[in-house]
Amino acid sequence: MTEKPYLVSGRNTIIHKVRKFDLLLLNGNEDPPVLVTFRGLKVYEGKIPENKRDAKAMDLELIDMTTSEVFGDEKTLVFIQTLNGKEYKIDYSKPGTQSFIKVHQDSIF
């Protein structure tokens, strides 16, 4: 089994740890997908890969937060620690607003 390019910490934190792979976060069917790169976060506008193999071919790690290996259910708040030393907050109760993705902490290292 290969090592994952992220860690799950606590009940609502994901730590991005491999620059080569971007993370594509899915939080149920209704919420917009979020792309995590080494530079930060943004709403993903592209086609969502059908499976993890297709995602790997695009240098993405597909993370369905509702699976038992991640959080097990949909989340309202998720914190993402990125490789650029920032922690972001995704507030799934506010999609389409400036409050959806915000810097939570600058330079956590």
Side-chain angles (χ1 to χ4, degrees):
M1 187 168 143
T2 61
E3 189 175 340
K4 294 180 180 180
Y6 68 93
L7 294 172
V8 175
S9 177
R11 297 186 327 195
N12 65 345
T13 302
I14 294 176
I15 302 167
H16 186 202
K17 63 179 195 166
V18 178
R19 183 177 179 153
K20 178 183 175 194
F21 287 100
D22 294 337
L23 308 178
L24 183 56
L25 306 178
L26 305 176
N27 189 43
N29 294 327
E30 302 298 316
D31 292 322
V34 174
L35 182 66
V36 179
T37 69
F38 70 93
R39 290 188 177 107
L41 278 65
K42 65 180 181 178
V43 174
Y44 182 71
E45 302 290 336
K47 181 181 182 302
I48 297 174
E50 295 289 324
N51 53 48
K52 291 188 179 214
R53 185 181 54 128
D54 291 346
K56 289 264 192 238
M58 299 167 61
D59 291 331
L60 293 173
E61 179 72 19
L62 191 59
I63 302 174
D64 183 350
M65 293 187 284
T66 64
T67 62
S68 61
E69 67 184 29
V70 184
F71 298 130
D73 57 358
E74 290 184 26
K75 293 292 182 182
T76 302
L77 285 177
V78 177
F79 296 92
I80 309 295
Q81 292 179 12
T82 59
L83 295 168
N84 67 356
K86 294 182 181 180
E87 182 174 89
Y88 292 85
K89 175 176 76 170
I90 304 172
D91 188 343
Y92 283 102
S93 68
K94 300 177 182 176
T97 69
Q98 289 184 341
S99 297
F100 180 54
I101 298 173
K102 294 188 82 150
V103 174
H104 183 64
Q105 290 182 347
D106 215 347
S107 293
I108 56 173
F109 299 108

